[in-house]
Amino acid sequence: MRRTGWAVCVLSLLLVVAALVLGHRNGAGLFAQSHLLFVAACALVGGLITAARPGNVVGWLMAACGLCFALLDATGHYALAGLPLATPMAWPQTWLWVPANLSVAAVPAFFPSGRPASPGWRAALWVLAAVAALMTALSALLPGPSHQLGWGTPLPNPLAVPALAAVSPFVEPLTTGLMGALFVAGAAGLVRRARRGDADERVQLKWLAYAAGLAGLIVAGRLAAGLSDGDPRSIWPVTSPFWELLGTFAACLLPAAAAVAVLRHGLFDIDLVINRTLVYVLLSACVFGGYVLVVTYLGAVFRAADGLPVSVAAAGVVALVFAPLRERLQRAVNLVMYGRRDDPYAALALLGRRLEEAAEPGAVLAAAARSVAEALRLPHVAVEVAGGPTHAYGMPSSGTVRLPLLHRSEPVGELVLSPRPGESGLGARDRRVLADLARQTGIAVHAVRLSADLQRSRERLVTAREEERRRLRRDLHDGLGPTLAALTMRAEAVQDIVRDPDALAMLEEIMTDARTAMADVRTLVEGLRPPALDTLGLAGAIRSHAARLPGVEVDAEIDGALPVLPAAVEVAAYRIVAEALANARRHAGAGRVRVRLGMTGDGVLEVEVADEGGEPYADGGAAPTRSGVGTASMRERAAELGGTCVIGPRPGGGTRVLARLPAHDTAHDTGQTTAHDAVQDRARDTVRDTAHDTAQRTVRDTRREAGDGADPRAAG
């Protein structure tokens, strides 16, 4: 295959030389045959690629393109020269243009690996190949002169079939349209590959994109020159050798870029090439435009007949602004391609500004990742916290780079970065800037870790507080309450057996104080924790509270069975629902409210309260339109447990309160506490029953000892 590729290349180059010689004999100038440079470039690139990568279809397509175009020109000029067998030699040019152009149009579909982008492409390419074969056969038999040579007198087709004259006007436009569609579809596939491919493939595509962009600039310049030359015969400057050669050079850029992309894409830094090209193209445009403007302005002001002083003055102005203009353009291009790596202060300022704008601690590291990505134009940046979550920005790619994040020489995480598209790593200047950014990011990670530790401590304190309140309530209710009741009963029993008025008055005072103490204990018990939570559970307590609201119909739904919840979660959920129901009744005037409780798969209790009121009392969950203590307390109760409470409009009207309360962190401890409390409850019940029985037995014994007739109250 390598020998075949080189043979095709050599044959194509010989045919190009023959076409040049025969064209010169026929009177065609060198500039009229400048397109043969593109043909020679395709042939040479095809030979190089097929020799180095025999399995790559791109090389064979280039070789086929060069061979077909070279054979077309050589045979055409041979026929025009009137040499022996001139008539049959006029026939190849009538149909060779189809495979030649098809080869060029199919290159994007196989570039750069030589394989189609997807299995669907294979079927489409086979269909197009069949259509192209049909069009080639038709072109070889169409009657009429052929204009494919582009120079000299058109030659008739020696094998023309007059019956095909009716389809002759449609063959060339249809074939050209199909090839154009194939080329556009292949180019779109290249764009998709540039987004999804690996680093090496993106570098290869950058070379082709660079050549296409540069060729496009040259074509635009040729078009502008052709439209302004005053020649109405053509929109191109066909009489200008300079533009003809420049146009040929633009066409040769594409096969040259394809050769570099396939064979030596890693030899040169394409980003540096693009950077310098952009700078010098923009600089040339600015210098040329400035020179023309200065010459025009000075010529109009001084009306000088001799243009030399004006030209010298314009050249001086351009020379003065050249150096600062180049520096500014270089900085602008670097900013577009590499971000702020040449200005570490700007990168640090951007990071500091983003960290200041982060309202919540959880958003600080996400803002840091975004700032680093935008500062250096990186596609993906992630901040990985040691033993914590990862905050990422962008889409990761292959060849990631990891930098340690330190705080006072202690590792607190890692900064994970993906190089820019087409780069295999980060350069020295990137790493210098990243060293400063990583230092500040490490401080931010440490601050976020401290904030997270503080939040966890707060959650533990809230949980411990509510668990202790539940324990105190049970102790007061089951310990001190029965004791005071027993004292009251004993005082009543003693009151039945004494006769002294002073003693009876003192006993009455004791009973009054005991009853007052019992009422205070009951008030204290109910203030520590809603009693309904212990007697009815969370769902029952919410239903009981909803049933006491006048004028509001509440539908309480429980998604599945609720597990044993920590005391803090029960209280927070109950208080949030109670406050949301009160708001729905006071502010929204809702007649119907839906309450939903349910556990998510990650151990979070979801509490949702949705009313059908006419006016929402919150705005998107960010800030209530009539913010008060109630809405703030709901958010604070959720935040104390590390959860969230979003208050916003309900679809269809009304307000929706959605609280998410984590319950999995303390579920294990709560289960142990509940089991221990169950044992204590049984012990308290035994003590309470024993105390009650003892008090009753004491009363009976006292009355028995006092006798039936000692006192009417005793008899009673």
Side-chain angles (χ1 to χ4, degrees), residues 365-412:
L365 299 185
R370 178 184 176 188
S371 300
V372 175
E374 292 181 353
L376 297 179
R377 293 290 191 272
L378 300 176
H380 174 259
V381 174
V383 179
E384 293 184 355
V385 182
T390 299
H391 303 269
Y393 177 81
M395 296 298 295
S397 60
S398 58
T400 56
V401 178
R402 291 180 173 269
L403 299 177
L405 298 176
L406 305 175
H407 178 72
R408 295 181 179 178
S409 302
E410 176 188 354
V412 294

Side-chain angles (χ1 to χ4, degrees), residues 472-484:
L472 287 174
R473 181 184 182 279
R474 289 177 177 175
D475 290 345
L476 291 174
H477 182 272
D478 299 338
L480 186 57
T483 301
L484 292 175

